[in-house]
Amino acid sequence: MTQLNRRRFLSGGIAIAGGGALGALGLSGIADAAPDSTAGGRPLHLDGHEITGGWTFTAADATTATGDRFASAQQLAGLKPAVVPGTPLTSMIANGEYPDPLYGHIVTDTVPDTLKDTGYWYRVAFAVPRLIPGQRFWLRFDGINYLGTVWLNGTEVGTVAGAFKRSVFDVTDIITNANGTAYLAVLVGKLDYADPPSLPSYASGVTRGGRNGGKTGITLKNGPTFFCTAGWDWLPTIPDRDLGIWQPVTWSTTGPVRLTDVHVDPTLSADLRTADVTVELALDSAFDTAKPVVLKGSLDGHDFERTVTVPAGASTITLTSKDLACLRLDRPKLWWPNGYGDPHRYRLTIAVESGRQVCDERTVDFGVRRIEYTKPVESPSGATVDGLAITVNNQPILVMGGNWGLDEALKRIPRQRLRDQVRLHRDANLNLIRNWNGQSSTEDFFEACDEYGILVWQDFFCSTEGPPPADVARDLDNIRDCIVRFRNHPSILLWCGGNEGPPPQPLVDGLDALVAELDPKRAALTSSAGDTGQDPIGGYSSGGPYHWVTPGTHFSLNDGTKWPPFHNEVGSYSIPTLEFIRKMLPESSWEHPDDFWADRDVNGNGGNGGGAGYLALTAQRYGEVLNLPDFARKSQLMNYECIRAIYEAHAANMISASPGKPYPRTGVIMWMTNPAQPSFVWQMYTHDLEAHSAFYAVQHACRRVNVILDRQTLDVVVANHTRSAVRGTVDATLYALNGTVFAQTSLRVPAAAASDHTVIGTLAPQLAATPDDVAFVRLSLKDQHGTELVRTFSWLENPARPTGFASLDTAPAPAVSITADARRDRDELTLTAEVTNTGHSVALMLHLQAYDTHTGDRILPATFSDNYLNLAPGESTTVHTQLTADQTRRHPSLGIRVDGWKIDQPASHLRGHGVAVTFNQAALATHPPTKTFGA
């Protein structure tokens, strides 16, 4: 089937297709040329054609024109080019009315909050084919926020209610008389309930008044919308509240019989040897009476054909392996979560034919996997509960996930950006994304998660931060459509009613009933804080901490003695690189934290005493902050040690109980991994998709075989997520501040159990001999043949006198050698760097960036296979990153630049072959003659 023409947001203007723009005075061209339907064959069925260009818009309160006039060839004054899919604000930015408010601005000072106080008219003209007898024409909307009224060629054809509801309209009668051109108009209605903007204040120590969801939280009464845009502790108030036609608009044709839904439901046997696939078809027939039709298709290379009789109107047909032999899969290829196997997907193509013509056709990609959700666990009350513990294809899975609050603040979410964001989760070794309150529910999102093996905890649209939805029926209608629309995706793990507290009982009952009716194999949870529905699942909660704490604190909180074993929200500050900080703030604020910093969420949720408290904590732990580059480098260490511990603490205590530790960890989901907007907090990469130290902390902590130093007990633990036991040795080397070795030991690993954690020894005696305030610890796990499986590196305070890490600045600077080259392979270019510590001291947090040597701009996304490197004297490593053809075209002059905690530049040696290698002097300028930060 034909792939839809995916949209792309153009920050510099509007993309116009098919004959010109729809100008300010009306219709001067037609968007999207229709296929030539006058050629031989004249098919009844035409795949979806996205209406991508030629849109215009205006505020609904700025015109007295009616829908019949907007949906016509009449000239109308005051219309401006529109981005569709998009929001009013994205169109205004593209038209140059406002700068991008997320960079160098305070959003609420830059764009008036009145954008939310009106609806918006959108209009477009597009070419349509001349219909032949029996052909039906369909107009489809994949998402309108918040309410949409649709007009076509002067006629009102229907409404769309709720941001997450698809609507498909049969407009055959209108198109039959369209004479080749359709005139479409959509009135996008404003929210029923809205608060005034929440304003940032650095001095307050809290984010935007300390209340999520606006001053009263009334926005949540709207139900299925982007309620976080009212202002959250991770998102500024978005002035238009992301109203608009935010998902594609397409048209297609069918014959008399339409496939309204194809549900593919595989059942995998307990021994994983066979899978029986059930295909449920929902049909809509325009015939007056029952008629025979032919179902034709293929699955896994096997064609099938079956004649069935369909009644007039709506009907359902179910096909099983008893009907079609190809629906029984022997030794099926399984869909696995990231890190456990290939996320294989099968493709089913099915068409319905009448009179030897294809009436409609669908292609569905699906995965075969078997999920178990719970295991019995004794709760603190002594009662045995079904605790949340995921097993996929008989493999216990420690959930290591990330919360995804919103895909992008202004809903600028082209398909490639979404793919890059999900790919970064895969590359960070995560296996799950929690789609918080369903705010990012799109086909592109789930397709990417399917492809990259990322499980999805799919929330719906309710939060305890405000009143419940005023229209429960609308909420449930949107939930129903989401379940039907996305249930074929193997990535979806479970459905969840909302955030941090139970929705109203009618919603709880309604969700349970919908899942039982539409998708009974998946679990349904009441909320992220607990399950109060039928057959409740326990053993999980949210609740943080959401601020910076010591690594030892995370290990203490997750040592197997504390309830519950699954945490779906825990996070920390996550400061970007120097380059991104300077990009997101005006220069006047670089050295002076202020309200611009507050609009970038530096106050978090008030944890650590807000931004000022976090800055003081950074100085206390790593020494006085002298300037912005010094803050950026110290923050990378703060990011790394805390965020790595979030995941390592769970992995070091996963799956199996031990004496005195009845609550082993079953899952952790960091708050957050995906940034909605430029931010100082709760992310593992930045809004422009740069991976900073938090990303590599996650990547290192979530390796499927890992060796972990428990920062609370100083035990050495092998975390083995695989299906096979691990045997070998762990070599531990301890370094003093000057880089000399002061202790070494080797710990035998007789058998680190599969899918479990194994304590193999302790480093407490060795660390007791630490000669300085700081010790460096290198752990190397090797298998029985001496092959290194994993290497980790940590810096620790002296256990006898924990005074922080300010003395790191007194350590001698290491010398490094970096040799890089660029090699082209088809459409990609690979940058490779061999990095060696040639000095006598530890090289701490060496950081590589790909950049354009002409402009100095970072090339993004460009995620190295490893980064923020820690190398003992004499150690080497090789890292690489791939650049796309488009990236190399836009950046013909490639370079790699390096910074780190400290580098002896004169003693270092940099060289490149086809790529420049330089020091990042701006990032290394951490010691000004006088302190400038905060002055």
Side-chain angles (χ1 to χ4, degrees), residues 32-68:
D32 303 310
D36 182 4
S37 59
T38 63
R42 302 295 303 278
L44 289 170
H45 169 252
L46 295 173
D47 284 330
H49 294 263
E50 187 175 338
I51 305 170
T52 55
W55 289 88
T56 56
F57 84 118
T58 188
D61 61 3
T63 178
T64 58
T66 54
D68 57 341

Side-chain angles (χ1 to χ4, degrees), residues 89 92-93 98-99 101 106-115 239-240:
L89 183 53
M92 294 172 189
I93 293 170
Y98 300 109
I106 293 175
V107 175
T108 48
D109 288 349
T110 306
V111 182
D113 198 61
T114 53
L115 298 187
D240 65 354

Side-chain angles (χ1 to χ4, degrees), residues 470-616:
D471 190 335
V472 170
R474 177 185 294 163
D475 225 57
L476 290 173
D477 192 38
N478 277 246
I479 290 172
R480 169 181 283 275
D481 195 61
C482 279
I483 294 173
V484 170
R485 181 179 183 180
F486 300 125
R487 62 187 170 179
N488 288 329
H489 289 280
S491 56
I492 296 179
L493 174 68
L494 54 80
W495 309 105
C496 181
N499 182 53
E500 294 185 345
Q505 197 60 41
L507 272 176
V508 175
D509 296 340
L511 173 62
D512 283 347
L514 286 172
V515 174
E517 172 196 352
L518 303 170
D519 197 22
K521 290 180 183 174
R522 284 191 174 98
L525 305 179
T526 301
S527 79
S528 65
D531 190 16
T532 61
Q534 297 179 357
D535 302 319
I537 294 174
Y540 72 92
S541 74
S542 48
Y546 299 97
H547 54 276
W548 196 96
V549 298
T550 64
T553 300
H554 283 300
F555 280 93
S556 176
L557 291 172
N558 297 286
D559 64 358
T561 67
K562 300 172 182 64
W563 182 267
F566 193 120
H567 287 106
N568 56 43
E569 288 186 15
V570 53
S572 178
Y573 277 85
S574 183
I575 308 299
T577 61
L578 173 68
E579 290 78 14
F580 192 72
I581 294 174
R582 286 178 169 175
K583 180 179 177 182
M584 71 185 186
L585 298 173
E587 187 171 356
S588 60
S589 297
W590 287 357
E591 301 284 348
H592 312 286
D594 57 11
D595 288 352
F596 287 92
W597 288 57
D599 209 42
R600 302 286 85 88
D601 308 324
V602 76
N603 283 334
N605 65 348
N608 295 129
Y614 174 77
L615 293 174

